[in-house]
Amino acid sequence: MVDSFGRNINYLRISVTDRCNLRCRYCMPEEGVQNLGHGKILSLEDLARLARVAAQVGISKIRLTGGEPLVRKSITRLVECLADIDGIDDIAMTTNGLLFPALAQDLKDAGLKRINISLDTLNDERFAYITRRGGLSSVRQAIFKAMELGMDPVKINVVAIRGFNDDEIGDFARLAYDHPLHIRFIEFMPVGDLLFWEPQRMMNSDEIRMVLQNDYELTPQKAIEGNGPARYYKISGGAGSIGFISPMSHQFCSECNRIRLTADGKLRGCLYEKQEVDLKEALEREASDEELRELFWRAIKSKPARHNMDSGWGQQNLRKMYQIGG
Ligand code: SAM
Ligand code: SF4
């Protein structure tokens, strides 16, 4: 379906839970996280029904996210239900990877095509610091497991944070040189745990590319399979690629094809937009599929032309990143 600004909206990101087994400093507070109770989050049946309705309004691609999607019970069953829906041709997931090695084969068999794994450091101590937990070895296993199962392309999301991992940019590039992995550097955004975000911690994509060009020859290449706004570069002689996701320095809103469903059943046109359409309330009053379709249309039609995070709205965001799905 085409929105008010001529963009074809065909991609739905579903946050299946607001719970997480990590506490990344930029995303979630350490203490005082009030998780949604069972009655507040969408059930598996609700999620499958909403995905079916979404397919009827033109959604063909779904990404599962969270919180951490793999802590949601029956996640494999959900993937299976989504894979059965006519019109849905791509099911992917963004995960911290910790629980992936044990679930990988079942998820693949259920119909999960691809995963993006979030990983900001290759150093154990730093990993424990940034996640306030630990488990880097499981994340490494997850990356190699996904490659072993042929869940191509395997993408790694790295939030670039000055003073934390800027000295590891080359190490990440080396991973993409040695393995068929797609390393994507994401600009640090003022959403999430704003106590950790500071303007000076943000590194923009051009700056990162300059650092990489000291050691690698990068040439622009076409987008790697997926639905996101990353710009990709081939590393000369390497097996994988480097991508940049630049919401702060190179706004990609004019090409945005996504809407988001939060774990508590609210549809959002934009990560940074306050406006939400309440699907959970509609499900509770037993709305028909026709009514649900209209609510999807309303969310799509009211999708803003662009985010205004750079003009300070991110500071007032009532929802944290783990509550929206990143
Ligand atoms: N738990 C899963 C994970 O970490 O991949 C999925 C949810 S997480 C909120 C999705 C993505 O958002 C992760 O790649 C994470 O690094 C990213 N993210 C969270 N807060 C961010 C911020 N302030 N700026 C940029 N990316 C952020
Ligand atoms: Fe959890 Fe992902 Fe947020 Fe880290 S970024 S706290 S893994 S939801």
Side-chain angles (χ1 to χ4, degrees), residues 146-158:
M147 285 196 287
E148 182 191 312
L149 291 179
M151 295 176 87
D152 300 329
V154 181
K155 297 177 183 172
I156 312 293
N157 290 346
V158 184

Side-chain angles (χ1 to χ4, degrees), residues 18-28 65-69 95-96 118 120 130-131 321-322:
D18 63 334
R19 290 169 195 260
C20 188
N21 45 0
L22 295 180
R23 288 287 181 278
C24 299
R25 283 173 191 271
Y26 50 73
C27 178
M28 246 176 137
T65 173
E68 172 47 39
T95 170
N96 63 31
S118 303
D120 303 322
I130 199 76
T131 64
M321 204 65 137
Y322 72 95

